[in-house]
């Protein structure tokens, strides 16, 4: 080291707001011509982006193995991180910045069992120092002494002295020795390069080990000689305050990142009052009570609590206790303000994988901004922007990057609207890196991933899932090979049940692919072929089924009818009712559930009138029918809904007479099945059925009778079909009236 060079070691706590203020104050005082920070040496070029517009913390440097993106490490930064503030200070003044920690290339090249990668956390110096000071809470002690102060250079002298004492008698692991040897070598190199005032910003634990006196360059070179290296890459990724917490599993995390940001931005006595103002604003936004009197009382209470507890100033614990006592809803304050959901941003030009850069462009085009908080997004598929949002979210799902999850039952893929629950998690950035091998754009990567999944699919259901993903994501290059594979598999699959299982998702893909403007002509041909095979094999497939198999089959029968109705398929008018009529006939080899459900489906579709259904029900529940068979028929026929009995007194009478004719032993044998059947009815349906059976009359809405205007009713039905997405057919006037 040259005689003119002066090295200042600034020992900090990662993500400490007081440490960050002290670093800035020390740099202003020292005016160094080089700032060295504890960061992997091979990310040094990325540090020049700190302070540039668009790179907004919290963010993280993601380092990964170029050929194995799944092997990655993060180096998070917040606005209150001392390293962030040090590099920002240097970049703003065009002062040299160097990263001095052991390169990631060495870290990743080490064997997985090597001590370099093993979790050799140093002893907890804060606990020992706090105990020596008589404080049982090391976190609180450090906040009182360092984080709530920010005294500048004098604070670092005290930290260095304390850490020197804390390290006495400890054994340094091989991994720590390599890291510290590399940092010392980097400091020596900075002095050789002619820098005269060098500031080193590093973890407080390392300060005693970075003193160059008594340590030779030859010893450090021997420690670092022969270390293997591997090709690595680095990228900036958005991060969140929630992922900075210790609870998230981050080893250098803090308990209250939102509070730390507040302490960094608002130091001094008025910081507590400002925090309580933010808490009051939050409560009022959520419809809760918070007044100026609450703020005054809360501020006074924090001071009183700090005095009673012997603290030099109010800390987070006093603030939360005061807020809870005065305003309540402390859990909301803790979640929204103490931790927070801040999400950083990364500019287009910063180091990123090409896939992440393309995603950022797609998010802007779709007007879909990533946020850390979970929120619900409603999408109208009839608008260009809505379709862009839908395509982007579906493409990311296909790629295995679940930024959004479709919400079932609220405007799902079965309407012109979609409802998504979206939240951007930092882990998704790792997924993007891992998936970058599939392509440099979201569209090409999702296409390649779906084609791969299609090749690996072993069953019809998996292939249909791939196909559906391709259609909804508007990826025609992935759809075409999936359609060909599906046609080949369906043509040779002998299992009618598996064919029936894919009918509904295929119908969804066809019907709602149209909503998205997707061409699915080839898929329609495959659907028609599957329907033909189902109709041809359905009757034999329903023979000799046990209870469990029959229960699965009745659900499949209902699903097929729903799918055919959804597409207004020709088979729903004659071919499928003909098959159902065969299944509805009493047969010794056919389960009662099957017969009952087939009868109900024929009734619901209008293929059988009330007289036909009553005759079949009477046959099924005749005196010669075993009670368990009759009960199974009733269960299949009623299908979890008693509406048909409410509106058809003759059918209700048939069921009632059958139940009344059962002997005590027969009733005991079927009572569990009957309880399951009738227990599935809505309470209102059960009340109405009871009213009819005891001879009462049901109250019906007034104002609706025989004087219906047929033409106006026809127009109403057309509008309703538009709203429900049902194909519009010509409706006769008398059909409109009866409907």
């Amino acid at each position: 080291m040259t005689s003119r060079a002066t090295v200042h070691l600034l020992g900090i706590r990662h993500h400490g707001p007081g440490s960050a203020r002290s670093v800035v104050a020390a740099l202003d005082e020292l005016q160094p011509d080089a700032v060295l920070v504890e960061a992997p040496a091979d990310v040094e070029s990325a540090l020049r982006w700190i302070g540039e517009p668009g790179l907004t913390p919290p963010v993280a440097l993601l380092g990964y193995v170029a050929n194995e993106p799944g092997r990655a490490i993060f180096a998070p930064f917040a606005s209150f991180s001392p390293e962030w503030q040090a590099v920002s200070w240097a970049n703003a003044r065009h002062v040299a910045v160097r990263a001095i920690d052991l390169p990631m290339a060495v870290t990743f090249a080490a064997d997985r069992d090597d001590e370099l990668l093993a979790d050799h956390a140093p002893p907890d110096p804060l606990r020992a120092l706090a105990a020596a000071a008589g404080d049982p809470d090391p976190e609180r002690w450090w906040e009182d002494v360092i984080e709530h102060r920010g005294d500048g250079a004098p604070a670092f002298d005290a930290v260095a002295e304390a850490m020197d004492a804390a390290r006495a008698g400890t054994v340094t692991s091989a991994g720590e020795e390599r890291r510290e040897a590399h940092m010392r070598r980097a400091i020596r190199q900075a002095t050789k390069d002619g820098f005269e005032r060098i500031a080193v910003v590093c973890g407080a634990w390392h300060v005693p080990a970075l003193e160059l006196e008594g340590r030779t360059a030859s010893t450090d070179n021997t420690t670092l000689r022969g270390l293997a290296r591997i090709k690595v890459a680095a990228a900036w990724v958005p991060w969140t305050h929630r992922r900075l917490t210790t609870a998230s599993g981050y080893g250098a995390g803090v308990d209250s990142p939102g509070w730390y940001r507040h302490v960094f931005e608002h130091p001094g006595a008025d910081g507590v009052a400002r925090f309580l103002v933010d808490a009051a604003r939050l409560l009022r936004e959520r419809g809760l009570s918070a007044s100026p009197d609450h703020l005054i009382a809360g501020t006074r209470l924090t001071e009183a609590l700090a005095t009673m507890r012997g603290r030099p100033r109010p800390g987070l614990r006093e603030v939360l206790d005061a807020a809870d006592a005065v305003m309540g809803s402390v859990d909301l304050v803790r979640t929204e303000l103490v931790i927070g959901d801040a999400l950083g941003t990364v500019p287009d030009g910063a180091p990123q994988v090409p896939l992440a850069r393309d995603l950022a462009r797609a998010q802007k085009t779709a007007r879909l901004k990533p946020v850390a908080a979970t929120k619900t997004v409603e999408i109208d598929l009839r608008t260009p922007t809505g379709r862009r949002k839908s395509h982007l979210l579906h493409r990311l799902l296909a790629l295995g990057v679940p930024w959004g999850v479709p919400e079932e039952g609220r405007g799902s893929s079965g309407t012109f609207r979609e409802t998504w629950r979206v939240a951007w998690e930092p882990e998704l950035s790792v997924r993007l890196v891992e998936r970058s091998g599939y392509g440099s754009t979201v569209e090409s990567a999702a296409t390649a991933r779906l084609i791969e999944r299609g090749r690996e699919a072993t069953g019809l259901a998996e292939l249909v899932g791939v196909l559906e993903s391709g259609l909804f994501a508007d990826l025609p290059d992935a759809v075409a090979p999936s359609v060909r594979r599906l046609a080949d598999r369906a043509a040779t699959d002998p299992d009618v049940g598996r064919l029936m299982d894919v009918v509904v998702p295929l119908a969804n893909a066809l019907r709602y692919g149209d909503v998205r403007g997707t061409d699915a002509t080839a898929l329609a041909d495959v659907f028609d072929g599957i329907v033909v095979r189902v109709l041809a094999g359905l009757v034999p497939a329903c023979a000799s089924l046990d209870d469990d198999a029959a229960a699965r089959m009745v659900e499949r029968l209902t699903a097929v009818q729903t799918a055919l109705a959804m597409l207004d398929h020709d088979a729903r008018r004659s071919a499928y009712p003909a098959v159902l009529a065969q299944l509805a006939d009493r047969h010794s080899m056919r389960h009662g559930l099957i017969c009952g459900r087939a009868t109900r489906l024929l009734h619901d579709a209008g293929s059988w009138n009330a007289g036909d259904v009553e005759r079949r029900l009477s046959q099924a529940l005749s005196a010669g029918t075993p009670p368990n068979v009759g009960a199974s028929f009733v269960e299949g026929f009623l299908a979890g809904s008693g509406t048909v009995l409410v509106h058809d007194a003759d059918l209700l009478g048939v069921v009632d007479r059958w139940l009344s004719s059962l002997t005590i032993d027969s009733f005991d044998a079927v009572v569990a099945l009957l309880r399951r059947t009738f227990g599935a009815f809505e309470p209102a349906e059960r009340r109405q059925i009871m009213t009819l059976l005891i001879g009462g009359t049901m109250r019906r809405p007034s104002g609706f009778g025989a004087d219906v205007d047929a033409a106006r009713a026809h127009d109403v039905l057309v509008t309703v079909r538009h709203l429900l997405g049902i194909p519009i057919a010509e409706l006769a006037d008398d059909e409109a009236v009866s409907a």
Side-chain angles (χ1 to χ4, degrees), residues 124-365:
D124 186 357
L126 299 188
R127 187 169 299 279
L129 293 173
D135 195 322
D137 188 342
E139 291 287 332
R140 183 62 185 268
W141 175 82
W142 180 266
E143 288 183 3
D144 287 343
V145 174
I146 300 295
E147 303 304 347
H148 288 171
R149 297 175 64 176
D151 293 335
F156 297 115
D157 295 335
V159 168
E161 183 179 353
M163 290 302 160
D164 191 44
R167 284 184 69 124
T170 63
V171 178
T172 305
S173 68
E176 284 296 308
E177 287 182 356
R178 293 171 189 170
R179 293 184 59 204
E180 290 170 351
H182 192 278
M183 287 190 271
R184 287 193 295 267
R185 188 165 71 176
I187 295 172
R188 293 190 188 97
Q189 185 61 48
T191 63
K192 291 179 182 178
D193 291 341
F195 295 111
E196 297 180 359
R197 298 178 306 282
I198 302 171
V200 181
V201 181
C202 62
W205 176 257
H206 299 296
V207 169
L210 298 189
E211 291 285 355
L212 300 183
E213 297 297 332
R215 295 178 174 87
T216 64
S218 60
T219 301
D220 290 341
N221 291 336
T222 300
T223 302
L224 298 172
R225 184 177 296 122
L227 295 179
R229 291 174 176 265
I230 194 172
K231 187 177 181 180
V232 297
W236 284 107
V237 297
W239 206 249
T240 66
H241 273 174
R242 185 155 39 87
R243 296 299 298 172
L244 281 170
T245 61
T246 307
S248 70
Y250 174 38
V254 295
D255 293 333
S256 47
W259 166 255
Y260 270 14
R261 181 176 68 174
H262 179 85
V263 170
F264 176 73
E265 295 175 351
H266 305 289
D270 66 338
V272 169
R274 284 175 176 269
F275 188 86
L276 290 174
V277 169
D278 292 341
R281 182 184 298 111
L282 171 66
L283 295 179
R284 291 175 70 88
E285 288 174 352
R286 301 299 173 88
L288 301 173
S289 174
S291 68
D293 287 342
H294 288 141
L295 298 179
I296 296 171
T299 303
R300 290 173 176 172
L301 184 55
T302 60
E303 296 287 348
L305 289 173
T307 301
M308 292 171 59
R309 294 169 179 174
R311 316 307 307 194
R313 62 188 55 79
L316 178 60
R317 188 175 302 171
E318 287 72 40
V319 171
L320 290 180
D321 287 347
D324 191 27
V326 174
M327 295 182 286
S329 303
V330 70
D331 289 339
L332 178 62
V333 174
R334 182 178 287 108
T335 300
E336 298 290 334
L337 297 182
V338 175
I339 296 177
D341 274 319
L343 176 67
T345 60
V346 177
D348 291 341
Q352 300 180 73
V353 293
L355 183 59
R357 188 173 289 110
D358 181 72
L359 173 59
R361 285 194 292 265
Q363 288 168 335
K364 291 179 181 178
T365 303

Side-chain angles (χ1 to χ4, degrees), residues 539-547 549-550 587-591 594:
V539 173
C542 290
S544 303
L545 300 179
D546 60 18
D547 291 344
H587 193 286
S588 60
M589 300 293 291
R590 196 169 296 130
H591 200 285
I594 302 293

Side-chain angles (χ1 to χ4, degrees), residues 44-64:
E44 185 175 299
S45 61
L47 297 181
R48 69 177 182 84
W49 285 91
I50 294 180
E52 292 290 326
L55 187 64
T56 308
V59 291
L61 267 174
L62 169 66
Y64 58 95

Side-chain angles (χ1 to χ4, degrees), residues 704 708-715 717 731-739:
F704 189 87
V708 176
D709 187 318
R712 296 176 64 189
H714 179 276
D715 293 340
L717 287 180
L731 299 174
D733 289 348
D734 58 343
E735 182 182 355
V737 173
S738 64

Side-chain angles (χ1 to χ4, degrees), residues 18-34:
S19 295
R21 288 199 307 274
S22 291
V23 164
V24 174
L27 294 177
D28 285 338
E29 178 183 347
L30 299 172
Q31 291 296 310
D33 52 3

